[in-house]
């Protein structure tokens, strides 16, 4: 059964960072795009997962695929975890993305 949590996001250059509070722990990630997508702005999205140890209990870094634009960001990690978020400002077209990410727990 899947669970969701709000996740705060920030994009700068070829890097997307984010953090979510789950069961009083802060889970953070740093995601690196293989090819930098067009500039976009995100704020808060939805993290979907089955259990919290999916985020840190697997090999690091992990792989992802997804899309950016025209109105949303979708990231699909290789273990089924997803992040979806509306873009603050629309961008032209839909851009496929991929790369690696690392998670940490505080």
């Amino acid at each position: 059964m899947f669970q969701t949590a709000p996740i705060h996001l920030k994009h700068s250059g070829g890097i997307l960072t984010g953090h979510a509070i789950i069961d009083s722990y802060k889970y953070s990630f740093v995601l690196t795009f293989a090819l930098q997508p067009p500039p976009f702005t995100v704020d808060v999205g939805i993290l979907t997962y089955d259990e919290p140890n999916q985020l840190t209990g697997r090999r690091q870094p992990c792989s992802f695929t997804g899309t950016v634009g025209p109105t949303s960001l979708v990231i699909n990690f290789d273990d089924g975890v997803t992040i979806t978020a509306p873009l603050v400002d629309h961008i032209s077209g839909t851009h496929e993305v991929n790369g690696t990410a690392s998670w940490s727990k505080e």
Side-chain angles (χ1 to χ4, degrees):
M1 171 137 332
F2 72 90
Q3 301 178 61
T4 62
I7 187 162
H8 300 272
L9 303 164
K10 182 176 181 184
H11 174 245
S12 180
I15 305 287
L16 179 70
T17 58
H19 70 272
I21 305 298
I22 301 170
D23 298 332
S24 300
Y25 293 100
K26 181 178 179 180
Y27 290 84
S28 302
F29 76 89
V30 176
L31 180 150
T32 303
F33 294 103
L35 295 173
Q36 185 172 326
F40 65 92
T41 304
V42 289
D43 187 21
V44 177
I46 299 295
L47 173 68
T48 304
Y49 59 97
D50 289 322
E51 51 189 82
N53 71 2
Q54 270 183 289
L55 305 176
T56 57
R58 60 185 198 266
R59 65 179 171 77
Q60 300 282 334
C62 58
S63 300
F64 73 89
T65 60
T67 57
V68 177
T71 62
S72 63
L73 167 73
V74 177
I75 300 293
N76 301 300
F77 294 96
D78 56 5
D79 66 352
V81 173
T82 63
I83 294 172
T84 57
L87 299 183
V88 173
D89 296 311
H90 297 183
I91 64 171
S92 179
T94 300
H95 306 270
E96 292 187 15
V97 294
N98 64 68
T100 58
S102 294
W103 288 87
S104 62
K105 177 181 174 184
E106 299 173 29

